[in-house]
Amino acid sequence: MVEEAKKILYSAVQPTNNLTIGNYVGAIRNFVALQNDYDCFFAIANMHAITVRQNPAELRQRTLSLLALYLACGINPEKCVIYVQSHVPAHAELCWTLNTFTYVGEMERMTQFKDKSARHADNINMGLMDYPVLMAADILLYQTDYVPVGLDQRQHVEIARDIAQRFNNVYSPTFKVPEAMFMKVGAKINDLLDPSKKMSKSSENVNGSVFLSDDKDTVIRKFKRAVTDSEACIRYDSENKRGVSNLLSVYSAFTGKSLEEAEREFAGKGYGDFKLAVGEAVAEKLAPIQKKQAELFADKEYLNAVLRSGAERAAKAANRTLAKVYKKIGFYQI
Ligand code: TYM
């Protein structure tokens, strides 16, 4: 019997700031869950990272730290291609080509560009605006079927689809048109102090974000302070009870229990007990990941070997697509 080829899955995380439980719940834990069923490419998006000024030593350190985190969370480098974006030149090359299929107006309208321009008004560089095109290049190079991401990336995956379709229409089918994949629970984890906005690595108030590097006491303290409401009832209602619903999502994601199970478990309990239980569930899950990440981080030789092999495998797949593109657009080949 001929085995059916697996569908291709692609995602990436930027090695910037401290990663939050939002990054874990919305993205990384899903990479682990999906790795057996798909051919996976997971990148460390350091080229996206420099659209906001980075300290070079920190960027280098965070790149390895993110790799150690991927591995500590359970992404298996034997099964998945794990690599650093800048190690595969095809990303920059395809990005340049796709720029000529992307309109300035549509980039100016992107929500994240508008947000980041407001936050970094002193450095609204071309890269910041071009960010979604580089992301489209990432995804399209690998003939990706699915892109597991958090909800904040929906618009970027949409534009990747538009660009792919535009190119395919001008020439002939060249790129697979990818689809975003969102998890039912946890596609948007919100800030603990302002549950109307997404939990972010770069939030002004660090108490609203739980970082993957936070120790147990810090995690519990942050959850204890989380904003809820005055109803004193633990039920999921993301419109009217944003704080409580956010905590239920976190609890569900970290324990593997459904939202309904979580609601039943806390029926009749007070918010104090509930917040403590959520904090404990998170801290309990993070501790072994942190320990493993620290061990792996110390083994630079192993990490470099993973990246070398990842870059080689990624480049092979990426160059195949890039060669097709160059041929179609009329770049002379020797
Ligand atoms: P980044 O580094 O901002 O975030 C990495 C992943 O974490 C998800 N995420 C969240 N999910 C739920 N709740 C939250 N509060 C939360 N915060 C972040 C993000 O949706 C993302 O999935 N541009 C991307 C990186 C990237 C990429 C790609 C992703 C570069 N190329 C190609 C997919 C495909 C980014 O900045 O993610």
Side-chain angles (χ1 to χ4, degrees):
M1 202 173 83
V2 186
E3 218 180 284
E4 222 177 287
K6 284 182 181 170
K7 298 257 188 202
I8 296 172
L9 197 103
Y10 186 95
S11 201
V13 175
Q14 291 190 74
T16 48
N17 301 318
N18 282 326
L19 267 68
T20 72
I21 56 168
N23 298 121
Y24 178 73
V25 171
I28 300 172
R29 83 177 164 127
N30 309 319
F31 303 170
V32 181
L34 295 162
Q35 64 182 337
N36 293 326
D37 299 330
Y38 297 89
D39 274 339
C40 298
F41 292 85
F42 297 123
I44 297 173
N46 60 343
M47 290 162 69
H48 279 101
I50 60 164
T51 56
V52 171
R53 204 61 71 223
Q54 302 292 329
N55 171 307
E58 262 177 24
L59 179 59
R60 258 190 295 274
Q61 188 254 336
R62 288 191 163 135
T63 301
L64 272 195
S65 170
L66 177 53
L67 170 63
L69 178 74
Y70 274 168
L71 301 172
C73 288
I75 301 178
N76 181 349
E78 307 284 322
K79 286 189 187 144
C80 310
V81 178
I82 310 175
Y83 72 101
V84 174
Q85 193 181 26
S86 67
H87 291 169
V88 180
H91 289 252
E93 295 173 277
L94 183 64
C95 177
W96 177 254
T97 307
L98 297 182
N99 274 332
T100 66
F101 293 84
T102 310
Y103 300 106
V104 172
E106 61 190 352
M107 291 299 100
E108 279 171 338
R109 286 193 294 274
M110 301 299 282
T111 315
Q112 204 170 77
F113 172 66
K114 289 196 275 185
D115 283 355
K116 286 199 179 169
S117 304
R119 268 193 287 140
H120 303 279
D122 56 337
N123 183 20
I124 306 178
N125 61 72
M126 285 298 295
L128 200 57
M129 191 166 163
D130 207 24
Y131 184 112
V133 185
L134 178 59
M135 192 163 148
D138 297 345
I139 298 167
L140 300 182
L141 274 175
Y142 297 91
Q143 302 295 343
T144 300
D145 293 282
Y146 297 110
V147 187
V149 278
L151 274 173
D152 61 317
Q153 297 298 322
R154 181 197 289 270
Q155 204 180 29
H156 290 157
V157 180
E158 278 301 312
I159 206 81
R161 290 170 59 84
D162 292 347
I163 295 172
Q165 276 160 345
R166 213 171 278 163
F167 189 98
N168 289 348
N169 288 341
V170 173
Y171 301 97
S172 53
T174 308
F175 297 120
K176 181 93 58 75
V177 180
E179 266 177 55
M181 185 190 254
F182 305 111
M183 294 300 134
K184 229 171 73 201
V185 175
K188 186 169 178 236
I189 297 297
N190 290 328
D191 190 276
L192 296 187
L193 298 177
D194 178 359
S196 67
K197 65 172 207 214
K198 155 189 114 152
M199 183 180 286
S200 157
K201 296 177 200 164
S202 51
S203 177
E204 268 158 36
N205 190 340
V206 293
N207 291 316
S209 298
V210 177
F211 300 112
L212 295 177
S213 55
D214 281 344
D215 61 22
K216 184 170 182 181
D217 288 349
T218 311
V219 171
I220 290 184
R221 178 174 50 77
K222 287 181 176 176
F223 277 104
K224 273 189 181 162
R225 285 205 205 162
V227 167
T228 46
D229 52 55
S230 54
E231 195 197 25
C233 172
I234 298 162
R235 65 184 170 85
Y236 190 88
D237 175 351
S238 57
E239 296 247 313
N240 303 306
K241 291 173 71 68
R242 282 197 163 143
V244 170
S245 303
N246 190 39
L247 294 175
L248 278 169
S249 297
V250 171
Y251 187 75
S252 159
F254 275 85
T255 57
K257 295 176 186 169
S258 68
L259 290 171
E260 296 74 24
E261 278 175 279
E263 279 179 338
R264 253 179 272 130
E265 186 177 335
F266 293 108
K269 299 233 167 86
Y271 284 166
D273 289 346
F274 172 49
K275 290 198 240 181
L276 183 64
V278 181
E280 277 175 346
V282 171
E284 202 172 295
K285 186 94 189 179
L286 293 188
I289 293 177
Q290 291 166 345
K291 185 163 171 271
K292 189 96 218 267
Q293 186 189 11
E295 281 164 18
L296 284 159
F297 188 74
D299 193 350
K300 204 163 160 208
E301 219 170 289
Y302 172 64
L303 296 181
N304 281 342
V306 169
L307 291 184
R308 229 174 271 121
S309 149
E312 215 173 279
R313 289 151 75 198
K316 206 164 150 209
N319 288 338
R320 220 176 299 137
T321 300
L322 189 69
K324 260 201 227 170
V325 169
Y326 278 6
K327 196 163 170 206
K328 294 208 182 177
I329 56 179
F331 280 0
Y332 183 71
Q333 330 243 317
I334 41 172

